[in-house]
Amino acid sequence: MNFASDNTSGAAPEILAALAAANEGAASSYGADPITARLEAKLADLFEHEVAVFPVATGTAANALALAALVPPWGGVFCHPMAHIECDEANAPEFYSGGAKLLAIDGPDGKLGAADLAARLPGGLGNVHHAQPAAVSLTQATECGTAYRADEIRAIATVAHRHGLAVHVDGARFANALVHLKASPADLTWRAGVDVLSFGATKNGAMGAEAIVFFDPARARELPFRRKRAGHLFSKMRFLSAQLDAYVTDDLWLRNAGHANAAAARLAAGLTALPGVTLRYPVEANELFVEMPDAMIVGLADAGARFYRWPHEASTCIRLVTSWNTPDAEVADFLAHATRFAIV
Amino acid sequence: MNFASDNTSGAAPEILAALAAANEGAASSYGADPITARLEAKLADLFEHEVAVFPVATGTAANALALAALVPPWGGVFCHPMAHIECDEANAPEFYSGGAKLLAIDGPDGKLGAADLAARLPGGLGNVHHAQPAAVSLTQATECGTAYRADEIRAIATVAHRHGLAVHVDGARFANALVHLKASPADLTWRAGVDVLSFGATKNGAMGAEAIVFFDPARARELPFRRKRAGHLFSKMRFLSAQLDAYVTDDLWLRNAGHANAAAARLAAGLTALPGVTLRYPVEANELFVEMPDAMIVGLADAGARFYRWPHEASTCIRLVTSWNTPDAEVADFLAHATRFAIV
Amino acid sequence: MNFASDNTSGAAPEILAALAAANEGAASSYGADPITARLEAKLADLFEHEVAVFPVATGTAANALALAALVPPWGGVFCHPMAHIECDEANAPEFYSGGAKLLAIDGPDGKLGAADLAARLPGGLGNVHHAQPAAVSLTQATECGTAYRADEIRAIATVAHRHGLAVHVDGARFANALVHLKASPADLTWRAGVDVLSFGATKNGAMGAEAIVFFDPARARELPFRRKRAGHLFSKMRFLSAQLDAYVTDDLWLRNAGHANAAAARLAAGLTALPGVTLRYPVEANELFVEMPDAMIVGLADAGARFYRWPHEASTCIRLVTSWNTPDAEVADFLAHATRFAIV
Amino acid sequence: MNFASDNTSGAAPEILAALAAANEGAASSYGADPITARLEAKLADLFEHEVAVFPVATGTAANALALAALVPPWGGVFCHPMAHIECDEANAPEFYSGGAKLLAIDGPDGKLGAADLAARLPGGLGNVHHAQPAAVSLTQATECGTAYRADEIRAIATVAHRHGLAVHVDGARFANALVHLKASPADLTWRAGVDVLSFGATKNGAMGAEAIVFFDPARARELPFRRKRAGHLFSKMRFLSAQLDAYVTDDLWLRNAGHANAAAARLAAGLTALPGVTLRYPVEANELFVEMPDAMIVGLADAGARFYRWPHEASTCIRLVTSWNTPDAEVADFLAHATRFAIV
């Protein structure tokens, strides 16, 4: 019963098979290989738009490189105070951007809202004393397990673009949001005004692969240099590209995310049926934040379930994360144990 | 006949098998998995010394993180003017260190010498106007395909340590040097005064994995933070560690390097037997720099051989790089073609 | 009637005279001159403590250099959300520290409190995913024109030191706070646990001079290099040191601050006697934040008074800043005009 | 007999007088004052060209800010290996640029040549593995006391611009070069292809003031933000601008430089008349590098003359620097002593 994180899961068999296939023969290094070329074409099809694609190995690298391409060192990035870039990347955005500042805009369910963004702009734009707002970054799905709808993104992007800010999406769990919203990749990105997407695969079945996707290749001109000087340009790039290629082939990414979301939904339904158990946020992707009696938490942990109390060890809220390969039996077991520890 | 680079080769079967094996079941993320623990123990055995080990995916990341741990932003790193960190990492050492300067010390065959280092020290040490020398970095094997012997390293390290400088080795081709010198890993590192090693595996049969190895763990205290904020901490770390674990198991790394070195030696012997063909540097690892008649270069290229003219397109010197899986037949073919184009 | 800022005032005659005196003859450059030596001795006397002193020309440089000496690039600095380092230094702390993050702790009257700091610690200390709290920075006097008392500082420093955080004070208006509190320099700094002080002089009568004062010289070891590589080491240092030397001679700094504070107090007393006028914060230094009827604001501006609406142009709150040379007549005139525009 | 450096001299009386005059009344801060506006107009006249002007306090700040505006973090700056930016600024260009690399081009008498620059280009342009050449920086006068002629600059700029590189001049001793060459400010800058000039005043009679002068204001758009976040935006800017304004008024800068150059020329003439004394470089500005018998060096030092052996303490070459206020008597005394110690 491992609900600690989706990154405790391994890689999907299709990903492993793609790596083995990619290993045949010699291939040009640093991205000049046919798999990388094929990937870019596939993503252009998938997103129904011209794209510039940069595979990297981690989500933090994808976010930090993307943001550094959008904001100057004296710039600012609006984001939710719970955003991964703000809380969980050890100052990577500041490092890569050369000192830009993250500017928090709070909002319910892990989402920031267009009106709150509008209230902060033009802010200090043009005033040398202040951080210059240059981008807004949305986490999709959010750190609360919710998803930004296309219209919400579009409203935010409209405000952002009016003031010259770029729109970035940290899509570490983009697939989970997409599946929940039954939207197309285009709907949740460029059609809604997104300029750059960190397209996550690692949490959803890859071994370690993400793609930075620019919908305006002109913005990506410096990215090759930024990626190389950061040590994120793989010499044997084919092994990153092969993962991403397999990821978007035959809907693997959607099937994986669908599995994880369904497991989360079953957990949510089962748990909220128990007395004293409530959800802190709507369950729209593969994360649940569940308030429950302390005895239930202790009981579940004693029964071998793995998860974190959230946001800290003294909380009576737990975070459960399901994965592309969460066994149905583990969901059932977890619910059975929870039921056992419910206060009747 | 692909002699363009050792990074055009794929991964060794043992590495692929290790990845598949590592994929079984869930594993704690960010390095808290048993494979990563096992790797650290194996490397301690291999190097006969306490070590702190940090797997990363690229050699540039390994070098830049290692150097940033050794030198302050106002520091300087002595290296050969041909060093990879100076020529081929797009200012990554400067980026990671926050602005340190690489200070060139030239020398024959891609090696810098202890006497020349001594002549540069104490240099500006303690003077706020000058870059503060804080480390010396050696490339092993060098960019010229030669290897630093243990006594050469020890002489350099003695000078460096006398002035408070740390000693780093960029071991992207460490295995090739080791096999050539018939030395032990300890002999070429801490016993000779090396403080930190970028232990390369990618060029020698891994998919994408290097280990930063500190022989004094006290120096490594900040490395976890540096690695994370650079986006080089893998969530599914087991897949980096598994590659490195397989790499040092059953002498895979030595067998692979031995194969590459032998191919290089055969090329060297065969080519220098031809009229008008000379080696620019001794062949001690898996790279050859061969002066030859232009007609021979053109002929080999026309015959389908892949390689680079060196150091630029107008040179009548070519660089040949052999690999862990260079087919014997390709070596034989290359020599046959070269013989055909030799001026009799 | 110029109440726009204390930095619209020129330099005190004593400062100008000191510059002229310092100009006699040749002097060793880069701080090896007798005036700089004398300054360090005087500040040690003034603070009753060993100090390491680094004159620089601007408050932003003083703050950014001081903080960079206290926190690593992956670190965090707790400060009030209104702090100058957070709002008005264009990401200088991020630039100088190499990417550290400012972490806001709100509190009334521009002050953060020890209990709120304690609630945030140990926070992510030791966890590579999070910014590592490494310092707390207090603004003295605050951006609200209030002053931290010695016991408030001591409580904060006790919490900070317990968790290994250093304590910095941005003392751009340190003199104004000191005069208000009738405390000694030692009381408000090292005796209360302050590790480093940005000792401001520019706003209080200097031409352009601040001193970074370390109470533990061991922490200052890297500062000479940091200052030089930032272009903040003056070749003709005597002209910075002479300003600071004159500043602390014959209580010039206290007399100047006393004058400014008295003017602020008179404005506060006079304005709050008028109907519809209230102070947003206690007036403890040389800044007032005054809520008043819009007609009064317009009337005062039309009468030629200079000031800013605060925090933005649509506010019915104005900020008034008095200075070391605010003429008594301007205070009287301002009050007379305000009285004229008061709603009776 | 102080020939240690031109920065051991104080400020010219005209500069001090200008500071006193600037001190009258209140003035808008951060450069919105009339003196700063007047300065920009005067410099436009002086250079016969539209300019964007940014006063700062130190030469290192001027150079580092200017270069950071011209090159990306992954860029390279060609310069002479003796350049101040390479040897004497403690990695400031690397810090400000975010990690750019200085690329040495050697040449006689402290100058790099157009042909040698051409031989290095296009170099790695467009190749992500290499530093991207983005600027060339010339020191005027050079660190050897020589001056680039207009035609030399033009030849270099032509090569640079052909490859998209910008041309920067570190003009810490620009006045000395100009006076020697009897050229106009325009001739030695934009007419010869210079894009940005660090216009020095400190060494030539100011207290601490330099101006970054852009001849293409479009290149200067980010400079205000860069300057502020570096802590180099003075609140009481009028005091920097007043120094620079006085500096270029009534030819003060040319008179000062003329005085220093004449003193250097007299020293050169007198010393080379002595047996065993030779000049290492032509004397074209206010620095001499003089090879002389060790006994003469010792004798001069014993007689109270101040200077440095060059480039290090064991050399039998000394560096003499004259200044805007070098007394004629000190020159005469120095020559008399040297004559006394000459080997007859």
Side-chain angles (χ1 to χ4, degrees), chain C residues 75 88 273:
Chain C
D88 297 295

Side-chain angles (χ1 to χ4, degrees), chain A:
Chain A
M1 294 186 293
N2 192 325
F3 300 104
S5 177
D6 33 11
N7 58 32
T8 61
S9 292
E14 294 88 340
I15 301 283
L16 268 183
L19 286 170
N23 198 38
E24 292 304 308
S28 289
S29 45
Y30 299 114
D33 64 276
I35 301 176
T36 302
R38 187 173 74 206
L39 170 67
E40 186 153 318
K42 271 198 195 175
L43 288 182
D45 277 357
L46 190 75
F47 284 100
E48 308 171 51
H49 201 278
E50 184 185 15
V51 291
V53 174
F54 299 88
V56 293
T58 73
T60 295
N63 288 336
L65 284 166
L67 291 173
L70 301 179
V71 306
W74 47 89
V77 178
F78 289 111
C79 65
H80 193 276
M82 285 182 183
H84 201 265
I85 57 171
E86 168 69 3
C87 300
D88 296 296
E89 300 190 350
N91 301 8
E94 289 85 351
F95 175 40
Y96 276 76
S97 66
K101 195 186 276 288
L102 303 190
L103 305 166
I105 296 181
D106 208 348
D109 300 339
K111 299 186 199 175
L112 65 88
D116 291 323
L117 177 63
R120 296 284 288 275
L121 288 169
L125 272 172
N127 183 325
V128 296
H129 299 278
H130 311 318
Q132 297 296 298
V136 57
S137 178
L138 310 176
T139 314
Q140 180 77 305
T142 74
E143 296 297 322
C144 295
T146 57
Y148 281 97
R149 297 188 316 269
D151 63 297
E152 292 173 322
I153 301 170
R154 196 176 306 113
I156 290 165
T158 301
V159 172
H161 291 160
R162 184 186 309 144
H163 295 281
L165 278 67
V167 179
H168 168 253
V169 165
D170 171 3
R173 295 187 180 96
F174 184 72
N176 301 283
L178 192 87
V179 164
H180 169 74
L181 295 169
K182 297 182 175 58
S184 79
D187 287 342
L188 290 186
T189 55
W190 62 270
R191 258 191 218 126
V194 173
D195 298 299
V196 186
L197 169 69
S198 297
F199 182 59
T202 307
K203 289 181 193 293
N204 192 33
M207 189 171 275
E210 315 270 315
I212 311 171
V213 180
F214 285 79
F215 298 103
D216 174 5
R219 283 190 188 272
R221 269 196 296 258
E222 294 184 336
L223 221 284
F225 300 99
R226 291 189 181 277
R227 180 174 58 172
K228 171 60 195 176
R229 76 154 183 153
H232 282 292
L233 176 64
F234 273 48
S235 56
K236 299 183 176 177
M237 177 75 86
R238 53 173 147 168
F239 295 117
L240 281 186
S241 299
Q243 292 181 62
L244 293 162
D245 184 68
Y247 184 66
V248 295
T249 297
D250 296 337
D251 290 342
L252 174 62
W253 67 308
L254 303 178
R255 285 182 280 122
N256 280 358
H259 178 91
N261 285 8
R266 281 206 308 285
L267 282 171
L271 289 169
T272 53
L274 300 176
V277 177
T278 55
L279 296 173
R280 187 174 281 191
Y281 311 112
V283 175
E284 301 180 350
N286 65 324
E287 291 191 284
L288 300 84
F289 296 82
V290 193
E291 310 270 4
M292 54 172 59
D294 197 71
M296 189 181 286
I297 298 176
V298 172
L300 284 161
D302 287 350
R306 293 193 52 200
F307 51 79
Y308 290 101
R309 290 180 186 248
W310 208 260
H312 54 74
E313 292 177 17
S315 301
T316 56
C317 177
I318 64 171
R319 186 188 76 159
L320 303 175
V321 191
T322 57
S323 173
W324 66 273
N325 67 351
T326 296
D328 291 352
E330 291 199 6
V331 171
D333 281 1
F334 190 89
L335 290 175
H337 284 294
T339 304
R340 194 154 57 85
F341 296 115
I343 297 151
V344 219

Side-chain angles (χ1 to χ4, degrees), chain D residues 74-291:
Chain D
W74 47 88
V77 178
F78 289 112
C79 65
H80 193 276
M82 285 182 184
H84 202 265
I85 58 171
E86 168 70 2
C87 300
D88 297 295
E89 301 191 350
N91 301 8
E94 290 85 351
F95 175 40
Y96 275 77
S97 66
K101 195 186 276 289
L102 303 191
L103 306 166
I105 295 181
D106 208 348
D109 299 339
K111 300 186 199 174
L112 65 86
D116 291 323
L117 177 63
R120 296 283 288 276
L121 289 168
L125 272 172
N127 183 324
V128 296
H129 299 278
H130 309 317
Q132 297 296 297
V136 57
S137 178
L138 309 177
T139 314
Q140 182 76 309
T142 73
E143 296 297 322
C144 296
T146 57
Y148 282 96
R149 295 190 316 270
D151 64 297
E152 292 173 321
I153 301 171
R154 195 176 307 113
I156 290 165
T158 301
V159 172
H161 290 161
R162 185 186 309 143
H163 295 283
L165 279 66
V167 179
H168 167 253
V169 166
D170 170 3
R173 296 188 179 96
F174 184 71
N176 301 283
L178 191 86
V179 164
H180 169 74
L181 295 169
K182 298 184 173 56
S184 77
D187 287 342
L188 291 186
T189 56
W190 62 270
R191 260 193 216 123
V194 173
D195 297 300
V196 186
L197 169 69
S198 297
F199 183 58
T202 307
K203 288 182 194 293
N204 192 33
M207 189 172 272
E210 315 270 315
I212 311 170
V213 180
F214 286 79
F215 298 102
D216 175 4
R219 283 189 189 272
R221 269 197 295 259
E222 293 183 336
L223 221 283
F225 300 100
R226 291 190 182 277
R227 181 174 56 171
K228 171 60 194 176
R229 77 154 182 152
H232 282 292
L233 177 63
F234 274 48
S235 56
K236 299 183 176 177
M237 177 74 87
R238 52 173 148 169
F239 296 116
L240 282 185
S241 299
Q243 292 182 62
L244 293 162
D245 183 69
Y247 184 66
V248 296
T249 297
D250 295 337
D251 289 342
L252 173 63
W253 66 308
L254 302 178
R255 284 182 281 125
N256 280 357
H259 178 91
N261 285 9
R266 280 205 310 283
L267 282 172
L271 288 170
T272 53
L274 300 177
V277 177
T278 56
L279 296 173
R280 188 175 280 189
Y281 311 111
V283 176
E284 300 179 350
N286 64 324
E287 291 191 285
L288 301 86
F289 296 83
V290 193
E291 310 271 3

Side-chain angles (χ1 to χ4, degrees), chain B residues 122-135:
Chain B
L125 271 172
N127 183 325
V128 295
H129 299 278
H130 310 317
Q132 297 296 297

